[in-house]
Amino acid sequence: MRLRALLDTDALGLRLLGGEDELDRTVRGVMTTDLKDPSRYLSGGELVLTGLAWRHDAEDSEPFVRILVGTGVAALAAGEAELGDIPDDLIVACARHRLPLFAVNESVAFATITEHVVRQVSGERAGDLAAVVERHRRMMTSGPAGGGPDVVLDLLGTDLDLRAWVLSPAGRPIAGSKLAGGALPAGTRVELAAAHLAAVRGGRRGPHRVTVGPAMYSLFPVRSSGRTTGAFRDVRETVLSDWLLAVEADAGDWPDERLDLLQGVTQLIAVERDRRDAARTVRRRLAQEVLELVQTGAAPAEIAARLRVAAPVLLPGLGTAPHWQVVVARVEWDGGEIAGGPVAQALLEEILVDPLSPGPELSDRIAVAHTGDEAVALVPLPAVASDEDGPEPGLHADTLLTAVREPLSAGLNDDGRLTIGVSAAVHSAEGLRGALEEARHARRVAAARPGRVCAAGHQELASHVLLLPFVPDDVRRAFTARLLDPLREYDGRHRAELIPTLEAFLDCDGSWTRCAARLHLHVNTLRYRVGRIEQLTSRDLSRLEDKLDFFLALRMS
């Protein structure tokens, strides 16, 4: 489609401010941004929509326009909602670089223009794909006619014979086309998510191509389509929460028309993503209110009243008040210039659901607030059974860690860290303050461990594990060196395996026969090794105190 056609569409509320001689330019897509430098997300031919949040003074307009022209965009459309009249310096810069400039009436949403452009461009290039937009319009209504991202993916399957899935940053399946025949295997999803996050952190422009097993996949980022995109100045602020579109095909030899079409599909999926984010506002507010009450020492009755308000919002139709679990997360980037709280909040909203459960609905049951660099999730548990033989209900730190460690480590790259703490379930307002502190303590335990992504649960707070993270590093080193260095040096010279023998002896609770059987040694040989350990360290492994010291030294080493 051409720019002239947009100007002639009254419903779009566009007013031409410059570039009348360029109205025959072809529009190949649309992008909403307020980044000072959006070049990494532009491929040429786009209509760029901006709310002007990037402009702080008149000197910002010239470099912004120069960047757009350098990437080959078709035109710029600036909204009047933020500043009223479009600044003269922007008009002059666009005229200097022959970039057509439109003003967007404040009564017209950018989403309206995005939908119109995608519909027109897709319709010209792939006939039936205009139905994607029509189905999407129904999807956005309040009635049951919608179908979420699955509607868009089904059109890709029926019209272009493409198998496609929408995945969360941790690889959880959000949607899949009928042609795809169900969700991808868990291992494949994790590999795709990790490859996508690594490519984004590496600054590579999508689609990203990756081979998993016998299949080639092309990965398209699904980024926010709303005005809020402009608020993000650094890729690290969104990389851990953005969805991705995975297509089982090699996009390396695709013509520009097909690539443009897939970019349009990601924009449609992004609208659904934005709608879901907007729906989280109420749940975030509820979580923030509960968190503030708990932290300020409000009366249990006041907290209980707020929980009664939250329960029907998070679990519609629930007859009795649920149990609650608290999850605390912290995202830290080297340098500290990126605020960790909002990043952790968006991340928890994506990962605190069953990794094997498709669709976004389950995350609607979780309310997440943030304060400072910390995010706190309030997770309702509708039925907590008291079965002593069965697994403890609710979220488990180890399960959560297994589901997200590999892909999110790629997104954190070498300059970020995620630590998570999970509380036990509580059933009253009185227990909520304890659950919050329990989750925070568990997170500190996780933070003391190596790795980019670490998690700890409340179960670990009832043992020595709670104390070890708070021992100063220099004390740790001195303690372990005093006990273990003589053994390491002896092993290095004689290959005597005293350290493995010590570990096995303690693990067998000092049982000579069981330890000898585990190590496939004669008991006399085991007695010789233990004697050598005692001689080198001046300790007695028959004494409980010395056994405990060795145990702690091994755990801290």
Side-chain angles (χ1 to χ4, degrees), residues 316-362:
L318 187 67
T320 58
H323 289 60
W324 301 92
Q325 220 172 347
V326 175
V327 179
V328 171
R330 190 181 183 97
V331 174
E332 297 171 291
W333 303 102
D334 291 351
E337 68 275 10
I338 304 298
V343 180
Q345 180 184 45
L347 180 61
L348 283 183
E349 288 172 335
E350 284 300 324
I351 68 174
L352 286 186
V353 293
D354 184 347
L356 300 179
S357 298
E361 293 77 12
L362 288 178

Side-chain angles (χ1 to χ4, degrees), residues 103 248 257 326 360 387 421 432 487:
E248 189 179 352
E257 290 79 7
V326 175
D387 184 1
L432 203 56
L487 306 182

Side-chain angles (χ1 to χ4, degrees), residues 134-446:
E134 181 58 33
R135 293 192 188 189
H136 179 263
R137 182 184 293 109
R138 293 194 294 113
M139 177 179 69
M140 296 295 289
T141 64
S142 58
D150 301 88
V151 172
V152 181
L153 301 187
D154 285 345
L155 260 293
L156 284 179
T158 57
D159 293 354
L160 298 182
D161 197 30
L162 290 176
R163 288 160 45 91
W165 300 263
V166 177
L167 304 177
S168 79
R172 186 174 65 88
I174 303 295
S177 62
K178 293 178 181 177
L179 179 67
L184 288 164
T188 300
R189 297 198 310 270
V190 169
E191 285 194 53
L192 293 178
H196 166 73
L197 291 176
V200 172
R201 287 304 314 277
R204 287 180 278 155
R205 181 180 297 177
H208 315 301
R209 299 154 59 209
V210 58
T211 300
V212 179
M216 168 72 79
Y217 298 87
S218 297
L219 311 178
F220 296 81
V222 177
R223 298 189 174 94
S224 172
S225 65
R227 290 176 185 262
T228 55
T229 303
F232 299 115
R233 306 290 176 180
D234 192 301
V235 68
R236 291 175 293 179
E237 296 184 55
T238 59
V239 67
L240 297 181
S241 58
D242 281 345
W243 290 352
L244 68 136
L245 172 66
V247 181
E248 189 179 352
D250 184 356
D253 56 356
W254 280 5
D256 290 342
E257 290 79 7
R258 176 163 286 205
L259 288 173
D260 291 343
L261 188 149
L262 265 294
Q263 294 292 352
V265 168
T266 65
Q267 291 172 353
L268 293 179
I269 296 172
V271 174
E272 167 65 11
R273 169 66 190 273
D274 290 344
R275 184 183 74 157
R276 192 189 72 161
D277 286 345
R280 286 174 169 166
T281 303
V282 174
R283 296 189 297 278
R284 286 179 172 180
R285 186 181 302 118
L286 286 172
Q288 198 73 43
E289 291 175 355
V290 173
L291 178 61
E292 290 175 0
L293 289 174
V294 170
Q295 293 190 135
T296 56
E302 187 176 358
I303 300 174
R306 181 53 53 190
L307 290 177
R308 284 194 294 272
V309 173
V313 174
L314 300 177
L315 291 173
L318 187 67
T320 58
H323 289 60
W324 301 92
Q325 220 172 347
V326 175
V327 179
V328 171
R330 190 181 183 97
V331 174
E332 297 171 291
W333 303 102
D334 291 351
E337 68 275 10
I338 304 298
V343 180
Q345 180 184 45
L347 180 61
L348 283 183
E349 288 172 335
E350 284 300 324
I351 68 174
L352 286 186
V353 293
D354 184 347
L356 300 179
S357 298
E361 293 77 12
L362 288 178
S363 61
D364 293 344
R365 297 180 176 181
I366 297 166
V368 187
H370 75 82
T371 174
D373 288 332
E374 178 185 77
V376 179
L378 190 64
V379 183
L381 304 175
V384 179
S386 57
D387 184 1
E388 297 182 358
D389 297 327
E392 186 177 350
L395 294 166
H396 297 267
D398 53 352
T399 303
L400 192 62
L401 182 62
T402 300
V404 304
R405 177 165 44 198
E406 182 177 343
L408 294 186
S409 293
L412 292 162
N413 203 350
D414 57 357
D415 61 347
R417 194 152 192 261
L418 166 66
T419 51
I420 299 173
V422 182
S423 79
V426 297
H427 59 83
S428 67
E430 290 87 347
L432 203 56
R433 182 176 295 112
L436 176 60
E437 290 307 314
E438 191 174 58
R440 283 175 169 163
H441 278 302
R443 192 207 64 77
R444 294 189 191 102
V445 170

Side-chain angles (χ1 to χ4, degrees), residues 454-484:
C454 298
H458 64 93
Q459 302 92 336
E460 300 178 62
L461 303 187
S463 74
H464 64 279
V465 177
L466 174 62
L467 302 177
L468 295 185
F470 305 104
V471 177
D473 289 342
D474 55 345
V475 176
R476 283 168 172 256
R477 286 191 292 270
F479 182 74
T480 57
R482 187 164 55 250
L483 280 175
L484 301 183

